[in-house]
Amino acid sequence: MHSQDLQALDRAHHLHPFTDFKALGEEGSRIVTHAEGVYIHDSEGNRILDGMAGLWCVNLGYGRQELVEAATAQLRELPYYNNFFKTTHPPAVKLAEKLCQLAPAHVNHVFFTGSGSEANDTVLRMVRRYWALKGKPEKQWIISRENAYHGSTVAGMSLGGMAPMHAQGGPLVPEISHVRQPYWFGEGRDQSPEAFGRTCAEAIEARILELGEDNVAAFIAEPVQGAGGAIMPPASYWPAVKEVLAKYDILLVVDEVICGFGRLGEWFGSLHYDLEPDLMPIAKGLSSGYLPIGGVLVGDRVAETLIEEGGEFFHGFTYSGHPVCAAVALKNLEIMQAEGVVEGVRDDLGPYLAERWASLAEHPLVGEARSLGLMGALELVADKASGGRFDKRLAVGNLCRDICFASGLVMRSVGDTMIIAPPLTITREQIDELVALARDALDETAVRLAKTVQEETTA
Ligand SMILES: Cc1ncc(COP(=O)(O)O)c(C=O)c1O
C-alpha cells in the first residue's frame, strides 16, 4: 500500500491518542514502517533517530531478536491464561520474582496490569483499601502535583495534574488535591534551586494541614516529571519531602512508569533519590515497549495488610500478568542485567550525554539545558538573560519539534521545552549525532523565527 492510501484510510477511520483529529486529518500522519537499534524508518524512506525511545519505553532499542523469540516461544506454549481464581503460570511467577529482586529491599510483591494507567488505578484502590483495613477510612485524600502525568484513565488523569485533561470528560475522581511542582526553571527562579525545592516540600506540608493530617492517605509523584517536561527537582526537594511524609502517617507512591528500568541510571528512580516508596507503579521499559504490560510494586507495609487482613481484593484485569507479555518482560530484564545496561547509563552514557547536552546551553535560543541519566530537556527562551519566553502564538516548541522530525530526529516538545529520552542502548557516537541534529534544529528554528518576526513587522 502507498503512503497516501494508508493516510487516507487513517484519516477515514483512526482516532489517534492525544491528537487534534481534524488538524491531523488535514495534514496526514507520518507512517512508521520499521525500526532497528535507535532508528525508526517512515514510509517516505526517511531514517530518523528516535530520541524518545518510542514513548519513553523502548529501553533496549528496536529489533531485539531475543524478545521476538521469547514472545514466539510463549505464544506456542501458552498464549493466554489468567491469574484469577487461584491460577497462575510460569512467566508471571518468574517475572514477579525478578522484579522483587531488582526493587528496593522492602518491596516483595507485585500486582500486574496492562499499562501504566491501569497501574495508577490500582494504586488508588490499594491506597484507600489499605487505610480502610487499618481502621482509618477517613484517610481518603491523595496529594499529587500540578503538571504531573499519571495516565489517561479516569483515575490516572485525576491523579495527574494536567489542566487540559481535567477540563475534558466531566467530574474527576474526588479527594485528589494538587500542589505546586518543583519546576525551578519554569516557576522558581526568584529563589535559589535549593530554597525553591524546600518551598515546594513546604507546600505539601501546608496542604496536609489544610486537608487535615488524619484525612490524607498518600502522596504520589514521579521521581523526575516526564511528560510534564523532563523536570528534575532541585537536590533539596526529595529529602525535604521525605521529612514531611515521615512526620505525618502518609503513604508514598512513586510513579516509576518512566524512571523505572534504567532511565536515570538506576533500576528505579527511587533508588537514585534514595526513596522508600510504599507503592511503585511500573510499565513502559518493563518490556522495552515490545508488548503492553504494567504493574504495581507493593512495599511490605501495604502488602502485609492486604494479605493478612484484606480478604478478597475485588480488582484485576483480563491481561494482568499476560503470559506472553510477562515472558518478554522477563527476557528484557535478563538482557538488561546481562549487558549491564543500567550501569552503562549510570557510569558512561548518562555522564557523556550530560556533557554533550550541556554544550547546547550556549545556543541563543536555550535558557537551560539539563539532563539526568538518559533524559534531557532544553528550555527555549526569547531572552537568554531573563529567561523570558516567546509569545505562545508562535508555538516555538512545536516548530522546533517539526524541524527536528523533518531533519531526522525525534525530539518532543512540551510547550517551549524540548525533551529527549533515547533508548538506553544508544552509543556515544549516536549521542553525538543526536546533539548535532538538535543543534541544527535550533539553528533552523532561530532562522524561521527571525523570518516570522520580520514578516510581522513589515506587514
Ligand atoms: C509517569 C507516568 N505514569 C503513568 C503513565 C501511563 O502509562 P500508560 O500510557 O501505559 O497507561 C505514563 C505514560 O506516559 C507516565 O509517564
Side-chain angles (χ1 to χ4, degrees):
M1 247 190 189
H2 292 299
S3 301
Q4 278 135 336
D5 299 329
L6 278 169
Q7 280 175 329
L9 286 175
D10 192 60
R11 186 176 292 123
H13 302 297
H14 185 186
L15 300 176
H16 293 230
F18 282 95
T19 295
D20 177 335
F21 306 134
K22 191 170 171 204
L24 181 67
E26 282 157 11
E27 210 177 307
S29 41
R30 179 186 293 271
I31 299 161
V32 176
T33 52
H34 59 287
E36 85 286 324
V38 298
Y39 298 100
I40 56 172
H41 296 257
D42 70 14
S43 57
E44 304 292 319
N46 299 304
R47 187 179 88 147
I48 303 160
L49 200 168
D50 184 4
M52 282 306 299
L55 277 178
W56 325 79
C57 54
V58 188
N59 288 9
L60 271 189
Y62 298 93
R64 296 298 299 235
Q65 288 313 300
E66 309 94 307
L67 299 185
V68 178
E69 280 152 23
T72 313
Q74 188 56 46
L75 278 165
R76 288 209 180 91
E77 185 78 16
L78 179 72
Y80 177 77
Y81 203 72
N82 61 68
N83 292 279
F84 287 41
F85 317 131
K86 302 185 192 170
T87 59
T88 190
H89 43 66
V93 177
K94 289 186 202 164
L95 180 60
E97 183 204 20
K98 172 68 76 190
L99 281 166
C100 295
Q101 283 167 358
L102 297 172
H106 71 288
V107 175
N108 291 293
H109 291 86
V110 60
F111 187 103
F112 287 118
T113 67
S115 68
S117 299
E118 287 176 10
N120 279 316
D121 277 56
T122 304
V123 157
L124 187 99
R125 298 202 58 203
M126 273 190 181
V127 160
R128 291 182 172 165
R129 177 88 185 119
Y130 169 80
W131 286 116
L133 289 168
K134 286 281 154 210
K136 295 185 178 175
E138 66 286 355
K139 269 188 172 290
Q140 284 282 322
W141 281 95
I142 299 180
I143 299 179
S144 179
R145 305 184 299 187
E146 290 160 6
N147 198 34
Y149 189 77
H150 296 299
S152 208
T153 51
V154 174
M157 71 97 172
S158 301
L159 287 168
M162 298 284 174
M165 292 178 82
H166 289 178
Q168 294 177 349
L172 309 178
V173 174
E175 308 204 321
I176 296 171
S177 182
H178 298 85
V179 292
R180 68 183 305 179
Q181 54 178 338
Y183 180 20
W184 179 76
F185 189 85
E187 300 178 4
R189 275 177 298 144
D190 51 341
Q191 286 181 286
S192 70
E194 294 320 292
F196 180 65
R198 284 191 293 276
T199 299
C200 294
E202 283 159 15
I204 300 170
E205 181 161 25
R207 188 63 52 85
I208 293 169
L209 296 174
E210 202 179 299
L211 296 169
E213 63 179 286
D214 294 337
N215 301 324
V216 179
F219 172 68
I220 181 168
E222 303 151 79
V224 168
Q225 279 158 268
I231 299 165
M232 294 103 199
S236 59
Y237 179 72
W238 275 117
V241 171
K242 268 170 48 173
E243 248 175 62
V244 169
L245 298 181
K247 205 160 144 191
Y248 307 95
D249 200 11
I250 290 169
L251 298 177
L252 172 61
V253 183
V254 179
D255 185 335
E256 296 276 3
V257 169
I258 282 178
C259 296
F261 310 106
R263 176 63 51 199
L264 305 185
E266 297 285 349
W267 279 98
F268 296 98
S270 295
L271 296 171
H272 176 81
Y273 286 110
D274 191 25
L275 305 174
E276 272 197 32
D278 295 292
L279 298 162
M280 301 158 78
I282 53 173
K284 293 193 188 274
L286 169 56
S287 65
S288 280
Y290 277 56
L291 285 174
I293 182 165
V296 183
L297 288 165
V298 185
D300 291 341
R301 173 181 175 187
V302 174
E304 276 160 21
T305 303
L306 294 178
I307 294 166
E308 296 303 326
E309 301 164 36
E312 182 167 350
F313 186 43
F314 298 107
H315 180 78
F317 305 98
T318 300
Y319 301 128
S320 284
H322 188 289
V324 183
C325 305
V328 167
L330 180 63
K331 179 56 78 180
N332 175 59
L333 300 180
E334 285 170 356
I335 296 172
M336 288 182 75
Q337 277 188 305
E339 296 184 359
V341 170
V342 179
E343 295 77 7
V345 174
R346 186 189 61 206
D347 300 334
D348 179 36
L349 295 171
Y352 188 70
L353 176 71
E355 181 202 317
R356 303 287 297 114
W357 195 247
S359 70
L360 295 173
E362 288 152 26
H363 195 279
L365 284 187
V366 175
E368 183 182 73
R370 57 176 181 268
S371 76
L372 178 61
L374 285 186
M375 191 192 297
L378 302 174
E379 299 285 0
L380 303 187
V381 292
D383 180 347
K384 215 171 155 67
S386 70
R389 296 289 197 178
F390 286 100
D391 187 330
K392 277 208 168 68
R393 281 179 309 126
L394 293 170
V396 175
N398 286 354
L399 173 67
C400 183
R401 178 200 60 198
D402 292 348
I403 291 169
C404 281
F405 229 126
S407 60
L409 172 68
V410 180
M411 180 155 70
R412 182 162 148 184
S413 58
V414 179
D416 287 350
T417 308
M418 307 307 300
I419 55 180
I420 54 149
L424 308 185
T425 49
I426 194 169
T427 62
R428 280 180 168 230
E429 293 69 34
Q430 288 164 339
I431 288 177
D432 290 343
E433 185 188 347
L434 187 160
V435 173
L437 285 165
R439 193 187 307 278
D440 291 348
L442 290 168
D443 288 343
E444 178 63 19
T445 304
V447 169
R448 299 254 198 112
L449 276 172
K451 244 190 226 160
T452 311
V453 171
Q454 199 179 18
E455 278 163 14
E456 278 185 358
T457 350
T458 43

